[in-house]
Amino acid sequence: MKKLFLIFLFAFITFEGNESAQAAAGVKPSDYHWKITNPAGKTLQGYTNTSSIEPGKVLSFYIHNEKPFSIEFYRMGYNAGVGSVYMTKTNTFPGKPQNKQPEGEAAEANWVRSVTFTVPSYWKSGVYMAKLVDTSQRESYIPFVVKQSTPKGQLGILISTNTYQAYNNWGGKSLYGYNSTNKTAGYQASYNRPYTSNNGSGEFFAYEYNFVRWVERQNYSVTYFTDQDVHNGVLKKSQINALIIPGHDEYWTMNMRKAIDDKVNREKMGLGVFNANVAYWQVRFDEKIPGMMYGYKYNPDPITETNPQLTTTQFRAKPVNMPEKNLLGLQYAGIPKPKYNDLTFTKPHWLLKGTSIKPGDTIRNIIGGEVDAYDGTFPGVEVVGESNINLYGVNTKSHVTWYPHPGGGKVFAAGTFYWNWYLDPYGKGYIASTNKNIQIITKNAINELIKN
């Protein structure tokens, strides 16, 4: 009898987000409960089988937990300043320790599936946090995007999941040396593992969340999808006026680059980049191993001889030779010192209409982290603002630009990590504050980008 009970206890569990199941889960959390107050660290962590999913589909969770736990679901947004909308909660599931973080250099977790969840058909597109909570009230996140089968809206918001994984060092390796074992960068970055940063949420709260909080209280129709979705062809069937990149979307596949190039050049889609260092490194996905991403940044790429265009180097470098400025008008310049720099508006521009900005006015500390610059290559690029910066000991400038692309599309590029912090400074109050002029410039840019 005891053996039968244990078999039942660890049996594979399926939960569907309906009202009866929610009632069985106990006391309903509020919209405020999305915040993590007792981080679980490695004792409770997990990942999903996909970075995005359509309503009505089944999402699989792979979770390591030392104690029984439940899952709360939140759609992230402004919601009168609360920051999310509570959606539903699961029952409590039994503890099931898995391989937390193996010794050595693991590219994948290879955990056993713990829970499945059917995404309710009424859930709208957005960024969601699955919040894991165990019986000791320890907490962690698993992020995912709910997408439309055919994305429709004025704005398609791209979530930078490739970059999340490039910096993720779960298992000992990221694509960077600074947070990898022995300070030696890896060349594999699997989606099939938890995120080590920000309580399991990846890079979402760094930049994208600030934009999401702001844009969802405007009057735009929005839809969300991920880097993987663009790689898999979502733009071909999408019906959006403009693609918006709010995050540090540094890592693109060739499929992504060609799809976005095509939409801007042939279909006149607007492109708004409210960050910096975008489309800089090429990565590629394994055709046989789902979710396995390769980036041979510091190692010879084994396919360079046979398929040079897919070499995982910088897009601007040989043998790829596709500088990001060909699409954006400007491109990545570097990491300035000091970290925070002022943006100066040197001349009138239509993007400043409705602001209080006059030539010579500045906005403090908005330029930095990493920055982009216009090198004068394309005469059609319009410099909206500039910053005097120091890059690696050299005094130079970074830029905010508008680019009426020759192909018919229009491109706005903020050229800084910090732009979105001035739209909504949640979590960034130590340096940023709401800036009405930045909000107006952003709306002016978006309103022009969505015009056909």
Side-chain angles (χ1 to χ4, degrees):
M1 187 68 180
K2 183 177 179 181
K3 183 177 180 180
L4 182 62
F5 171 76
L6 289 175
I7 291 172
F8 171 77
L9 185 64
F10 288 99
F12 179 72
I13 306 169
T14 299
F15 171 80
E16 182 161 345
N18 54 41
E19 294 303 318
S20 59
Q22 178 179 316
V27 178
K28 174 184 174 181
S30 77
D31 296 340
Y32 287 96
H33 287 167
W34 68 269
K35 299 177 184 179
I36 283 181
T37 58
N38 187 19
K42 296 179 181 179
T43 63
L44 178 66
Q45 57 181 334
Y47 59 97
T48 58
N49 64 314
T50 180
S51 62
S52 64
I53 192 167
E54 297 171 18
K57 302 292 186 180
V58 176
L59 186 64
S60 295
F61 286 90
Y62 301 78
I63 297 169
H64 160 79
N65 52 295
E66 296 179 352
K67 294 186 177 183
F69 71 99
S70 59
I71 309 175
E72 300 167 6
F73 293 89
Y74 299 88
R75 184 184 184 276
M76 306 311 296
Y78 185 68
N79 189 18
V82 175
S84 79
V85 176
Y86 166 76
M87 304 303 292
T88 192
K89 177 183 175 181
T90 70
N91 292 295
T92 298
F93 302 124
K96 188 174 183 181
Q98 304 209 50
N99 188 6
K100 291 182 291 185
Q101 187 161 335
E103 297 295 329
E105 300 167 3
E108 292 186 287
N110 289 318
W111 290 351
V112 176
R113 182 169 54 184
S114 307
V115 178
T116 62
F117 174 77
T118 302
V119 176
S121 59
Y122 59 87
W123 281 18
K124 65 180 182 179
S125 183
V127 178
Y128 287 74
M129 288 292 159
K131 181 182 176 184
L132 311 178
V133 184
D134 73 11
T135 51
S136 293
Q137 299 305 303
R138 293 177 298 188
E139 306 158 322
S140 68
Y141 290 130
I142 302 176
F144 63 96
V145 169
V146 172
K147 62 184 177 181
Q148 298 172 302
S149 57
T150 301
K152 298 178 182 179
Q154 292 170 305
L155 306 179
I157 300 177
L158 179 57
I159 302 301
S160 306
T161 50
N162 285 352
T163 302
Y164 289 15
Q165 288 297 355
Y167 284 88
N168 184 19
N169 68 343
W170 191 96
K173 290 294 186 184
S174 74
L175 298 188
Y176 291 83
Y178 78 93
N179 67 349
S180 291
T181 54
N182 302 316
K183 302 299 181 182
T184 303
Y187 58 87
Q188 297 176 318
S190 174
Y191 274 71
N192 300 314
R193 56 182 181 154
Y195 293 116
T196 57
S197 61
N198 301 309
N199 298 312
S201 64
E203 305 302 313
F204 174 69
F205 289 110
Y207 315 104
E208 291 163 334
Y209 183 50
N210 299 88
F211 186 88
V212 168
R213 284 175 61 98
W214 176 81
V215 79
E216 292 219 339
R217 60 185 191 265
Q218 311 308 311
N219 294 319
Y220 302 113
S221 57
V222 297
T223 186
Y224 293 80
F225 39 82
T226 69
D227 285 343
Q228 281 185 307
D229 295 321
V230 175
H231 172 81
N232 291 326
V234 74
L235 284 182
K236 292 180 181 179
K237 58 181 181 179
S238 68
Q239 299 173 27
I240 59 173
N241 299 94
L243 178 68
I244 302 297
I245 302 176
H248 177 202
D249 205 7
E250 183 178 358
Y251 291 84
W252 287 16
T253 65
M254 184 59 72
N255 280 6
M256 290 178 63
R257 177 62 186 268
K258 288 182 175 179
I260 295 172
D261 274 347
D262 189 65
K263 273 286 192 178
V264 171
N265 285 314
R266 298 187 184 184
E267 299 187 30
K268 299 179 175 58
M269 178 187 73
L271 175 60
V273 180
F274 295 94
N275 212 283
N277 191 14
V278 168
Y280 183 56
W281 287 101
Q282 179 171 208
V283 289
R284 67 175 183 273
F285 286 109
D286 195 295
E287 296 180 357
K288 298 180 180 179
I289 306 174
M292 180 62 76
M293 187 174 79
Y294 297 106
Y296 291 87
K297 296 172 59 176
Y298 307 110
N299 301 279
D301 193 326
I303 72 162
T304 299
E305 295 297 324
T306 57
N307 197 344
Q309 195 179 37
L310 294 185
T311 300
T312 55
T313 185
Q314 297 166 10
F315 273 99
R316 66 179 75 169
K318 296 179 180 179
V320 181
N321 297 316
M322 295 175 65
E324 62 269 36
K325 66 183 179 182
N326 292 1
L327 171 63
L328 305 179
L330 81 180
Q331 64 184 20
Y332 178 57
I335 302 173
K337 289 185 178 181
K339 188 174 183 180
Y340 302 104
N341 301 270
D342 300 343
L343 174 64
T344 301
F345 300 90
T346 57
K347 57 185 178 181
H349 192 278
W350 62 265
L351 275 170
L352 306 180
K353 183 178 181 180
T355 71
S356 61
I357 294 171
K358 305 180 298 297
D361 286 352
T362 64
I363 294 176
R364 298 272 297 162
N365 297 326
I366 192 172
I367 301 299
E370 296 186 2
V371 297
D372 297 342
Y374 170 54
D375 65 3
T377 302
F378 306 115
V381 175
E382 302 166 12
V383 174
V384 181
E386 64 183 29
S387 178
N388 294 314
I389 59 171
N390 186 284
L391 290 178
Y392 317 112
V394 177
N395 291 325
T396 184
K397 293 181 183 294
S398 71
H399 302 98
V400 177
T401 59
W402 178 266
Y403 183 30
H405 203 282
K410 293 163 284 191
V411 183
F412 173 82
T416 172
F417 272 9
Y418 306 145
W419 187 274
N420 298 327
W421 298 1
Y422 291 78
L423 296 174
D424 186 306
Y426 180 86
K428 308 301 187 299
Y430 58 87
I431 186 64
S433 59
T434 301
N435 188 292
K436 290 185 178 179
N437 286 329
I438 290 297
Q439 291 178 333
I440 292 170
I441 293 169
T442 303
K443 288 205 73 169
N444 286 345
I446 290 176
N447 289 343
E448 187 64 26
L449 291 173
I450 62 178
K451 290 180 182 178
N452 289 327

